[in-house]
Amino acid sequence: MLVSQVDPWVQTIRLLSSGSRCADARADTTPVAKHRTSSISRSPHLKVSLIERTTSLTVTIAWWDPTSCFYGAQIWRVASAKVSGICALSGQRIRRGDRIFHPQRSKAAPVNARAMILESALNAIEPLQTSRV
């Protein structure tokens, strides 16, 4: 009789790290044209996706971090960075004063409340459409 030498905890982490491989798991996501996923070095398991630009000042973001939280459709607002940091989408450095998006404030602060995405990183994925009148 062969006994598995794989630790169940290690196997669970590997499965979480590999992401979903089920065809049905992403059936409810938005169109692929607006979907961009990126991982950053601070958390190799983090996946951030632009779902849609709702207005010129807000976007809807999907945030997957199997180690802390999941937000399927989180509203983010544009602002100037109050502190330096790292862009959750591109991994680029953010300096104080840069134009960024951050999770919308609410009574119960989201787990990723301090996260930031550079406005330029979102524009690289889906430029803001301006109407020509």
Side-chain angles (χ1 to χ4, degrees):
M1 174 187 232
L2 293 173
V3 178
S4 175
Q5 298 294 328
V6 179
D7 179 3
W9 180 249
V10 171
Q11 187 175 10
T12 301
I13 296 300
R14 281 187 190 147
L15 288 170
L16 288 171
S17 298
S18 68
S20 175
R21 296 200 177 150
C22 299
D24 296 341
R26 295 185 184 208
D28 64 341
T29 59
T30 56
V32 176
K34 295 182 180 181
H35 187 83
R36 158 96 188 234
T37 301
S38 177
S39 295
I40 59 172
S41 59
R42 289 184 325 156
S43 178
H45 309 293
L46 176 64
K47 291 185 177 24
V48 178
S49 300
L50 171 63
I51 295 175
E52 96 178 284
R53 284 188 173 272
T54 47
T55 70
S56 62
L57 302 176
T58 61
V59 294
T60 303
I61 298 289
W63 182 277
W64 295 278
D65 186 345
T67 63
S68 64
C69 63
F70 168 76
Y71 298 108
Q74 187 180 40
I75 305 298
W76 288 48
R77 294 195 163 281
V78 74
S80 292
K82 295 185 185 335
V83 296
S84 296
I86 301 294
C87 176
L89 186 63
S90 68
Q92 294 176 301
R93 185 166 187 225
I94 296 174
R95 291 179 176 81
R96 189 172 187 242
D98 285 349
R99 298 264 304 173
I100 54 112
F101 283 86
H102 63 88
Q104 183 171 306
R105 292 188 180 124
S106 60
K107 284 187 177 184
V111 175
N112 63 348
R114 293 185 173 190
M116 296 181 281
I117 295 176
L118 281 166
E119 182 179 47
S120 59
L122 286 177
N123 287 340
I125 296 169
E126 184 178 312
L128 179 62
Q129 302 297 319
T130 56
S131 59
R132 295 180 183 171
V133 179

